[in-house]
Amino acid sequence: SDRGGLLVNRATGHARESRQLVTTPGCCGGQSLAEHLASCEAGSTSLTPLDDAWRCDKGRELFGVNCANNCGLSFGNDREGNSYSARSKGNTIFVCLNVSRGVCSFALCKKCYVEKIDGVSTRRGRRSRK
């Protein structure tokens, strides 16, 4: 049986790491990155902080995926590379809710999330009524 990237031998109970590579699903509903980002900015799609840092491990859904805002960062947990890792202190990756379902790979780094999503909702909330 498969448990989060580990293959468990039912007879012995021993686990070994799965060698199966996971493909990057792209954006949900066949949207482009720009369409998905526009949907997030408009408040139609919600983003959440990534809880499963292992999704950025080599061979997983978010490994090598670029920030959707095209800021130049790519996500990954490899120590040798220049990847933006959710395991590093202060680094948060914000993802579409469908990432946990394995049907989307839309993700923003913390800086881009604050600029594109959080900043927009904060500005909207501060408008005064006349």
Side-chain angles (χ1 to χ4, degrees):
S1 68
D2 185 4
R3 289 193 184 136
L6 294 178
L7 293 176
V8 179
N9 183 323
R10 289 186 182 163
T12 64
H14 291 102
R16 65 180 169 84
E17 190 174 334
S18 173
R19 298 281 181 228
Q20 179 182 4
L21 289 179
V22 177
T23 57
T24 304
C27 292
C28 40
Q31 297 178 83
S32 70
L33 284 176
E35 290 169 333
H36 205 305
L37 183 58
S39 176
C40 294
E41 288 176 302
S44 302
T45 304
S46 297
L47 299 179
T48 186
L50 178 68
D51 288 333
D52 304 323
W54 56 265
R55 291 188 186 277
C56 294
D57 289 346
K58 190 170 188 174
R60 302 306 298 186
E61 299 98 325
L62 295 177
F63 182 81
V65 169
N66 293 324
C67 176
N69 194 39
N70 294 318
C71 68
L73 292 176
S74 64
F75 305 117
N77 291 328
D78 59 334
R79 295 173 198 235
E80 300 84 37
N82 262 348
S83 300
Y84 185 91
S85 174
R87 291 189 175 139
S88 297
K89 187 175 180 178
N91 284 0
T92 306
I93 299 172
F94 291 86
V95 296
C96 173
L97 295 173
N98 287 321
V99 167
S100 65
R101 295 182 186 116
V103 295
C104 188
S105 59
F106 182 88
L108 289 171
C109 68
K110 182 178 181 178
K111 182 180 180 214
C112 290
Y113 174 81
V114 169
E115 287 176 4
K116 298 296 259 177
I117 310 301
D118 199 34
V120 170
S121 62
T122 302
R123 283 193 301 268
R124 283 185 189 146
R126 290 186 183 162
R127 288 183 183 164
S128 61
R129 297 181 184 204
K130 292 184 180 185

